[in-house]
Amino acid sequence: MRQIFLSSDARTRPAWLEAFPELITERLDMPAAALPDGRALVWALLPAGEPAAALVDRLRDGLAGRPLLLLADLPSEDEALAALAAGACGYCNGHAAPEVLLQVALVVANGGIWVGQGL
C-alpha cells in the first residue's frame, strides 16, 4: 500500500523515509485532485497552531475514502481525541521511530485505529 505524506513544505523526514522508502510527499495546500490515485494511507503533519479537527475537515473531501493519519510534533491527548472525533484513523508523534510508523500503517491498513498509549 502506498504512503502519502503531506506537510506544509512537502518535506521528508529520515524516519519516514526509512519506514517507507517509496513514500510520496506533497504539500498540504495542494489541490485534492492532485493526490495520486489508488489505495494509500495519507499522513498529514499538523502545522503549528492549526487545530487537528480543522485539518481533518480541510482534507476530508480530497481523501477519496483513504484513511488519514495525523502526525504532530508536539502531540497531546486532547488533540488526538479531537482528530479521531473528526474522522482521522490515527494520531502519532511526527518524530516517531520507523518501527512505530510501520506498526501504525499496519494497524490502520487493516481497518484499525491508532492511538497513543495514554489513550
Side-chain angles (χ1 to χ4, degrees), residues 2 7 20 22-23 55 71-72 84 86 88 90 98 101 108 112 116 118:
R2 283 197 216 168
S7 66
F20 310 110
E22 307 216 359
L23 66 85
L55 180 59
L71 298 159
L84 296 170
L101 296 173
V108 173

Side-chain angles (χ1 to χ4, degrees), residues 18 22 27 34 57 61 73 76 82 84 100:
E18 186 177 332
E22 307 216 359
R27 292 178 56 91
D57 287 342
D61 291 340
D73 285 339
S76 78
L84 296 170
V100 172

Side-chain angles (χ1 to χ4, degrees), residues 20-87:
F20 310 110
E22 307 216 359
L23 66 85
I24 298 165
T25 56
E26 298 288 352
R27 292 178 56 91
L28 271 170
D29 60 0
M30 67 173 243
L35 279 178
D37 290 332
R39 287 189 62 214
L41 296 180
V42 178
W43 305 70
L45 180 61
L46 188 63
E50 183 167 1
L55 180 59
V56 174
D57 287 342
R58 181 162 59 102
L59 296 176
R60 182 178 296 122
D61 291 340
L63 295 174
R66 291 175 282 211
L68 175 65
L69 300 119
L70 288 193
L71 298 159
D73 285 339
L74 298 170
S76 78
E77 290 181 8
D78 289 340
E79 192 172 68
L81 290 172
L84 296 170

